[in-house]
Amino acid sequence: MRDNNGHGTHCAGIAAASGGNGIGITGANPDALIMPLTALQSDGTGDVATIIKAIDYAAANGADIISMSFGGYNDSQAEREALGKAYSKAVLVAAAGNDNLCIYPHLCPENKIIGATMFPGAYNFVLGVEASKNAEGKIADFSNFDEDGPMTSTFSENDLFNYELRAPGTTIVSTFPGGQYLPMNGTSMATPLVAGAISRLLQVRTPSSKEELFGDLINTSHGNIDINAAAALTDADRKPSLALVTYRIDDAKMGDGDGRPDAGETIRIYPKFRNHWGVAKNVKYSIRLAETEDPEIVSFIDEGDAHVIDNISSYATVEAGNPFVVKISPDCVDGRHICMVLTATCDNISAPLEQEIMLTAENGVELGGVIGEDMTLTPDKNYIVTSSLAIPAGRHALLNIGDGTLTSLVLSDAQGHNFRLEAGSGAGISSAMAEQTAPQRVRGIYNLMGVKIANDASELKRLPRGISSSTVRKL
């Protein structure tokens, strides 16, 4: 097999270059065997379809660890499914990326630019690897990063994305085509270092599960991965470590069933826990109002169910079967933040979990769906837009926001393009469209393109569609 780029040869040497021969370098595990697979083109780019073929081949042909020094910012369902199958046979390790971006698609705390999630490194069944720049594990300036660490994720409960580990990734000397040894930088270099170290660990002991292995590696890391500390662990060292992943609100029985807390509703809160290490037995959980919260804003209803989970295995996620039942005051104002504190403990835990839950209660008239006829919003009511409002193509409708009405609307056309209309005091569509030559009755949302609201309190703007690309590149 010929390496027409050099990136793969460099990564392979980091993981498993032979040692003790007086030549070049020694890999993280010189006893490891390399299964070289070419999935990218000579310029270092490729596509998901070819990547999937390589993943399938590696898993089917006995790879114990699949090291992936590539990635992209598109979440491919096909790639996710292929890796999910491979996870049953191999440990998956992948690079976090080299763009100095946080994992969340929001304003990053370090560099004040919008972050993005690197795949496949972010999947929760893949060990995502950041790059460090020194032995203490300080993150490299170029490395993507997980700002809230490997054990917390505020993504949806089905997408608990994280980068879990860190390893040196700056000026890493390794093998290169033509008998050369060259230094390179990147999370691509940190990834095979982790993969090689894990292969060495698997030579000396066999973890009871990949989830236990993940817990061992994460909980013994102090900056960089510490494979020796992970190898020295015993069962007694593995203490449970509980985290609240998310919670689900059910208001179907005594509410409107929209899954959001409204004034006057009785809601059921189902917490979802994740255990990051040793088996958590006899998990007990409770909830209370924060110390400074108004005691009249909610009341807790005891339905006689014990808030106990028998056990949560290592690195597993479990939703509680018995919810907290909470009655919200009917006098609660719209947008009121209600601060509660959840606690959880279990046998043999080092430190109990104590975490805030912040509910935002709603109190108003809910709007959403298709506008099929003329509608007028008036200032004597509070309006809450719960989903996009759409004016179907080929139909006429007038949405009039009366003077003094405060609201924020998102409208969409039949093609799924979204537009946000923010209307403030004294600004309605009828007055806003006075500057247009088109009639005030609109046919489809495209007729609203370019509307200029008369005052500065309101504007119409097209929302970004997000990144959509199947391109994968080396890291």
Side-chain angles (χ1 to χ4, degrees):
M1 177 180 290
R2 180 181 176 85
D3 183 353
N4 293 314
N5 180 277
H7 181 264
T9 300
H10 199 273
C11 291
I14 294 171
S18 297
N21 55 13
I23 302 173
I25 64 163
T26 300
N29 182 11
D31 296 332
L33 300 178
I34 294 291
M35 181 190 296
L37 298 172
T38 298
L40 303 182
Q41 300 186 49
S42 58
D43 64 352
T45 64
D47 59 84
V48 169
T50 306
I51 293 291
I52 290 173
K53 291 179 181 179
I55 293 168
D56 290 345
Y57 182 93
N61 286 274
D64 297 304
I65 300 166
I66 300 178
S67 182
M68 296 171 283
S69 291
F70 58 80
Y73 292 109
N74 180 56
D75 180 7
S76 164
Q77 184 63 33
E79 183 182 47
R80 188 193 289 225
E81 290 176 1
L83 287 167
K85 294 177 183 177
Y87 177 72
S88 65
K89 299 180 178 180
V91 178
L92 308 177
V93 187
N98 305 325
D99 299 311
N100 189 26
L101 296 177
C102 59
I103 194 170
Y104 295 104
H106 62 199
L107 198 65
C108 299
E110 298 293 331
N111 50 24
K112 305 304 180 185
I113 60 177
I114 300 298
T117 311
M118 177 62 71
F119 302 100
Y123 294 136
N124 61 3
F125 49 85
V126 176
L127 287 167
V129 183
E130 303 167 346
S132 70
K133 60 183 178 181
N134 56 29
E136 288 71 39
K138 185 174 179 58
I139 195 162
D141 295 337
F142 57 79
S143 180
N144 287 359
F145 58 96
D146 188 337
E147 69 251 51
D148 54 12
M151 295 186 182
T152 301
S153 178
T154 57
F155 286 95
S156 72
E157 58 185 292
N158 296 320
D159 295 321
L160 299 175
F161 299 141
N162 281 116
Y163 307 136
E164 287 82 6
L165 301 174
R166 188 178 299 171
T170 57
T171 320
I172 306 299
V173 176
S174 185
T175 51
F176 204 78
Q180 302 178 75
Y181 294 88
L182 298 178
M184 295 180 72
N185 300 320
T187 53
S188 276
M189 287 62 253
T191 297
L193 191 56
V194 168
I198 293 173
S199 73
R200 190 64 173 176
L201 175 63
L202 297 181
Q203 283 183 308
V204 299
R205 70 172 180 83
T206 302
S208 62
S209 65
K210 291 187 182 68
E211 292 76 20
E212 180 185 284
L213 173 65
F214 277 37
D216 288 356
L217 294 170
I218 292 169
N219 285 281
T220 55
S221 293
H222 302 284
N224 289 326
I225 183 176
D226 188 341
I227 206 69
N228 291 325
L233 288 171
T234 66
D235 288 340
D237 297 318
R238 297 185 181 93
K239 306 291 184 183
S241 177
L242 296 174
L244 176 66
V245 173
T246 185
Y247 55 87
R248 176 171 61 90
I249 293 177
D250 181 359
D251 59 346
K253 290 185 178 180
M254 299 185 69
D256 57 10
D258 65 357
R260 292 189 300 274
D262 296 324
E265 282 189 336
T266 296
I267 64 173
R268 285 167 168 76
I269 301 175
Y270 293 83
K272 196 167 194 176
F273 299 101
R274 194 179 193 183
N275 176 29
H276 290 280
W277 209 6
V279 176
K281 298 180 179 180
N282 192 30
V283 179
K284 299 177 181 179
Y285 54 99
S286 60
I287 196 169
R288 68 179 190 274
L289 281 176
E291 185 175 350
T292 56
E293 185 58 90
D294 180 1
E296 303 298 323
I297 199 68
V298 300
S299 57
F300 298 102
I301 300 173
D302 184 2
E303 293 190 332
D305 295 321
H307 294 128
V308 177
I309 301 172
D310 289 341
N311 68 78
I312 307 175
S313 59
S314 181
Y315 220 74
T317 301
V318 173
E319 182 179 87
N322 294 326
F324 304 119
V325 184
V326 180
K327 168 71 174 178
I328 302 173
S329 169
D331 299 324
C332 181
V333 299
D334 183 55
R336 172 70 155 82
H337 293 170
I338 303 172
C339 186
M340 298 180 288
V341 179
L342 179 144
T343 59
T345 187
C346 67
D347 297 346
N348 204 33
I349 195 170
S350 297
L353 167 68
E354 185 165 298
Q355 191 166 332
E356 282 190 354
I357 291 180
M358 187 72 72
L359 299 181
T360 301
E362 298 177 351
N363 193 344
V365 179
E366 296 183 352
L367 300 175
V370 175
I371 303 174
E373 57 187 20
D374 293 356
M375 179 185 299
T376 299
L377 310 185
T378 59
D380 61 322
K381 295 183 177 65
N382 182 48
Y383 297 94
I384 304 166
V385 181
T386 59
S387 62
S388 293
L389 292 170
I391 303 173
R395 297 185 63 177
H396 298 275
L398 174 64
L399 177 61
N400 182 59
I401 305 177
D403 288 350
T405 304
L406 297 175
T407 188
S408 177
L409 304 178
V410 175
L411 298 97
S412 63
D413 65 6
Q415 287 72 40
H417 299 103
N418 291 332
F419 303 86
R420 184 179 299 279
L421 177 65
E422 297 173 353
S425 177
I429 288 182
S430 55
S431 63
M433 298 182 69
E435 297 186 13
Q436 287 192 297
T437 58
Q440 291 191 9
R441 286 185 179 272
V442 298
R443 182 190 301 275
I445 190 65
Y446 279 117
N447 287 339
L448 289 177
M449 289 281 295
V451 168
K452 190 162 180 66
I453 303 297
N455 67 26
D456 293 334
S458 309
E459 62 178 334
L460 185 73
K461 51 191 175 184
R462 184 163 176 167
L463 301 181
R465 297 297 302 277
I467 299 171
S468 179
S469 171
S470 59
T471 301
V472 177
R473 56 190 169 90
K474 67 178 184 180
L475 300 171

